[in-house]
Amino acid sequence: MSGGDARRDEMPEIRQHTTIPIRVAQRLPMYHRHLYELPMDGVTHISSAKLSAYMGVTASQLRQDLSHFGRFGHHSYGYRVDELFHILTVILGLTRKHKMVLVGAGHLGRALANYEGFARRGFYIEGAFDIDPSVVGGKLAGIEIMPVEELAGFLQRSKIDIGIIAVPADAAQDVADTLVDNGVRALWNFAPRRLEVPQTVVLEHVHLSDSLMSLAYRLHKLDVCKNQTAYRC
Amino acid sequence: MSGGDARRDEMPEIRQHTTIPIRVAQRLPMYHRHLYELPMDGVTHISSAKLSAYMGVTASQLRQDLSHFGRFGHHSYGYRVDELFHILTVILGLTRKHKMVLVGAGHLGRALANYEGFARRGFYIEGAFDIDPSVVGGKLAGIEIMPVEELAGFLQRSKIDIGIIAVPADAAQDVADTLVDNGVRALWNFAPRRLEVPQTVVLEHVHLSDSLMSLAYRLHKLDVCKNQTAYRC
């Protein structure tokens, strides 16, 4: 779409109406995160080689991934960090605010509610719910915890984008149903339970144990392979 | 190594001393998790096509991934679930017990300590530490919380495999140093901070926000593309 190279003072055109391989989509948040961190180290411009090394991918992979969305980067000095950060912000749809509800005010729910990184990215918890009467009425990150029976009514009154499911496995499907039936189109599920949702709803399931198994596997490989790199024997 | 097909009553040979692409390694825990769940639905044997669909990969990807480790599956009926689960358990190094310490007894640390899925897979928290005197001496999942000053001494007395870092970002590198200096070779980091560790140490960094950004991206794509599949326009 954009005919020539991006120039210094012009924001390059961003193609968003494009089919993206799922693996590319999965790397975008990581790119965004690294681009947020770089200016903290005083980096404002960076070569493609250095940026990709910092992010743990190859330079050609980074270039290829970004090429789905347009022509970014400059022949002379690589990437402007602020520009590329903005581009990733647009691609990911983070230029707008996201409203969330949290269902489950246990330790995990509280940890999530207190995570400062979410508000910085425009993600706000607008309501928190729990089934436990001893918890209901208390506060969580400044928000009053409501009884879960009020979840449906709350969703009908408020436009909520994302439902966070931080309840025990047995309760997760019921919570998901209530969220979906009342217009929530994105679920962030922490319950160790496979959820059934309509195809029009997006679902991210956080499997913490996968990450621990992966760590164990790499430790095991260290022992099996008796050398310093985790995947090579 | 194994010359013929695996036979019904013989465990096929498992090649472990082999170089594995990192993406294959990342899928292994997911395979293991699904194979654990299948018998709960009464599934004991499953075709390659059905198993791969259940896992969300293609049949050829599943076959290719497993082929790094040997020749599994049976011409007539596909896979025996219990056998393949055992094979993945061996590959991942989960036949042995893993001892862990938890540093940081805040909400996240408590959520992790109470997660029952870890003990079932042979992962046990042997010690919990915090810097807050009002927390020290209390209990967490049945374990007494010790002052973080005692972490180094504890590690010298106990053989610990994995250190869980659930402290604020500012404290994470110090904790990582103490763990590594005292023989811990695997770190599971939840602090939003890039950690420097020797190459001989394996590090898994859980970026919860990446998962949320990915969810937001898929929601954004739904709106941009106005259809039902998240990555296709």
Side-chain angles (χ1 to χ4, degrees), chain B:
Chain B
M1 293 202 179
S2 162
D5 282 343
R7 262 161 301 160
R8 193 166 196 134
D9 301 309
E10 239 174 52
M11 189 54 74
E13 196 179 339
I14 304 171
R15 258 199 313 271
Q16 294 211 67
H17 199 277
T18 173
T19 298
I20 304 301
I22 187 160
R23 281 186 211 147
V24 178
Q26 286 168 343
R27 283 191 288 269
L28 297 176
M30 184 264 283
Y31 293 158
H32 186 260
R33 169 164 47 77
H34 285 307
L35 289 163
Y36 176 82
E37 289 167 357
L38 273 172
M40 297 180 197
D41 297 332
V43 180
T44 57
H45 295 75
I46 193 165
S47 69
S48 170
K50 277 195 185 159
L51 181 61
S52 54
Y54 183 81
M55 291 170 164
V57 296
T58 65
S60 79
Q61 180 160 74
L62 176 63
R63 269 195 302 268
Q64 220 179 318
D65 286 356
L66 294 177
S67 72
H68 289 284
F69 304 99
R71 300 182 66 173
F72 314 123
H74 306 256
H75 283 305
S76 45
Y77 57 83
Y79 296 106
R80 267 181 55 182
V81 173
D82 63 347
E83 182 182 279
L84 196 55
F85 177 72
H86 175 75
I87 288 166
L88 264 299
T89 302
V90 171
I91 290 171
L92 286 167
L94 303 181
T95 48
R96 73 176 185 89
K97 185 175 160 179
H98 287 87
K99 294 184 179 182
M100 312 195 287
V101 290
L102 170 70
V103 190
H107 288 303
L108 181 65
R110 283 168 197 272
L112 294 170
N114 286 304
Y115 184 66
E116 59 180 58
F118 298 146
R120 171 166 61 72
R121 293 174 175 88
F123 291 80
Y124 299 92
I125 295 180
E126 304 275 321
F129 297 85
D130 203 283
I131 202 170
D132 181 352
S134 74
V135 166
V136 167
K139 293 251 177 182
L140 173 151
I143 302 167
E144 191 185 325
I145 302 166
M146 294 173 267
V148 76
E149 296 76 35
E150 295 179 13
L151 175 59
F154 179 88
L155 293 172
Q156 285 153 21
R157 290 192 305 276
S158 325
K159 169 101 188 67
I160 296 294
D161 304 297
I162 296 170
I164 307 174
I165 302 176
V167 300
D170 288 349
Q173 185 65 55
D174 279 351
V175 168
D177 292 345
T178 303
L179 290 165
V180 169
D181 291 348
N182 293 284
V184 177
R185 296 186 307 145
L187 304 185
W188 200 25
N189 178 39
F190 287 83
R193 169 63 53 94
R194 190 181 270 259
L195 297 180
E196 302 285 334
V197 296
Q199 279 213 314
T200 45
V201 170
V202 292
L203 170 66
E204 273 284 317
H205 192 148
V206 178
H207 296 285
L208 286 179
S209 59
D210 279 12
S211 161
L212 182 59
M213 298 307 107
S214 176
L215 185 65
Y217 176 61
R218 292 169 59 198
L219 187 60
H220 178 61
K221 283 292 269 185
L222 273 188
D223 293 333
V224 169
C225 302
K226 301 252 187 299
N227 74 13
Q228 301 197 348
T229 55
Y231 296 110
R232 242 163 243 290
C233 260

Side-chain angles (χ1 to χ4, degrees), chain A residues 75-124:
Chain A
H75 283 307
S76 45
Y77 57 82
Y79 297 106
R80 267 181 55 182
V81 174
D82 63 347
E83 184 182 279
L84 197 55
F85 177 72
H86 176 75
I87 288 166
L88 263 299
T89 301
V90 171
I91 291 171
L92 287 168
L94 303 181
T95 49
R96 72 176 185 88
K97 185 174 160 179
H98 287 86
K99 295 185 179 181
M100 311 194 288
V101 290
L102 170 70
V103 190
H107 288 304
L108 182 63
R110 284 168 195 272
L112 294 170
N114 286 305
Y115 183 64
E116 58 179 59
F118 299 145
R120 170 165 64 70
R121 293 174 176 88
F123 291 79
Y124 299 93

